[in-house]
Amino acid sequence: TEAVPALQMSGDPYLLGHGMGILGMVDLAEGNLAAARASLEHGLAMVRTLRDTRSVALLAATTADVARCQGEYARAAELYGE
């Protein structure tokens, strides 16, 4: 989380998107689902603006994993569809 201000200051949506995605993956691995989801959704929003289908697919699938862990199966299915 200490890296977030630096990522935001970069002004680079690709860097911010993937940085937030990595933070979300770390939170997921540590079992902090709420923080993981927030970081991943932020990252996903950033990469969507780039229309980078590979990055969108990666972050959408990881966000879907979190939604599935939280019992939100319809949301997970929607994200897996991206």
Side-chain angles (χ1 to χ4, degrees):
T1 58
E2 296 169 9
V4 174
L7 292 169
Q8 291 172 331
M9 285 177 43
S10 76
D12 183 342
Y14 183 88
L15 182 62
L16 179 59
H18 281 279
M20 295 303 294
I22 290 167
L23 290 173
M25 290 176 203
V26 170
D27 285 328
L28 176 58
E30 293 177 347
N32 190 347
L33 299 179
R37 188 159 184 178
S39 293
L40 287 161
E41 287 182 348
H42 187 176
L44 181 57
M46 290 290 97
V47 297
R48 279 182 176 145
T49 67
L50 302 172
R51 302 189 195 282
D52 176 354
T53 55
R54 184 174 151 249
S55 296
V56 169
L58 171 67
L59 293 180
T62 309
T63 306
D65 291 342
V66 175
R68 183 179 44 81
C69 289
Q70 293 176 318
E72 295 182 28
Y73 303 113
R75 177 68 177 143
E78 178 185 320
L79 288 162
Y80 284 131
E82 283 192 58

